[in-house]
Amino acid sequence: MPVLRRGDVMGVTDDFPAPIEVVAGEIVSPEGAALDRLAALDEAAERHDPRPANTLRSYASDWRAWEQFVTEVGIPLEAATVGSFGAFVAWLARDGKAPSTIGRRVAGVTVTLRER
C-alpha cells in the first residue's frame, strides 16, 4: 500500500468516492469527516477485485485441479504443506503439464487457499 504524503490526492473511480487530500499528516475531505471518508474507502476496497476475469477463471480451474489431486492422494483440501505442493507439482508433471502451467496452478491454488 502506498504511503500518502502531504499534498497527495487519491483519484476518483467508479468504485471509489471523491478524492481525499493529506494535509499536515491528516487526511481531509471536502465532503465530510475524515473517518466517514475512510469508512467509505474501506467499503469500496472490499467490493473491488482488481484481478481480470481471465485470472479468476484460471484460479478456479487451478482449484479444481487441486481438488482432484487431494482427492486422489487422500489428503485434506486445505493441506498446504511443502510436501503436498511438491507432490502436486509432480502430479501435474506426470500429467504432461508445461512448467509454466504448473507454476500458474501452484500460484492459483496458493491464492485460493489464502482467501479461504
Side-chain angles (χ1 to χ4, degrees), residues 1-94:
M1 174 177 245
V3 174
L4 294 176
R5 302 196 192 307
R6 191 172 77 144
D8 288 351
V9 176
M10 294 179 63
V12 179
T13 68
D14 290 340
D15 292 329
F16 293 96
I20 60 173
E21 185 176 355
V22 178
V23 176
E26 295 294 321
I27 297 176
V28 295
S29 170
E31 296 179 19
L35 291 177
D36 291 340
R37 299 294 297 147
L38 288 171
L41 289 169
D42 286 347
E43 288 174 23
E46 288 177 13
R47 290 190 310 269
H48 181 70
D49 190 344
R51 296 174 295 189
N54 286 347
T55 300
L56 297 175
R57 280 192 298 276
S58 293
Y59 286 176
S61 173
D62 300 337
W63 186 251
R64 286 190 300 275
W66 175 257
E67 288 177 321
Q68 182 180 352
F69 164 73
V70 299
T71 299
E72 285 183 18
V73 298
I75 61 174
L77 187 61
E78 295 185 1
T81 66
V82 173
S84 65
F85 273 104
F88 183 53
V89 167
W91 182 78
L92 292 167
R94 278 194 306 275

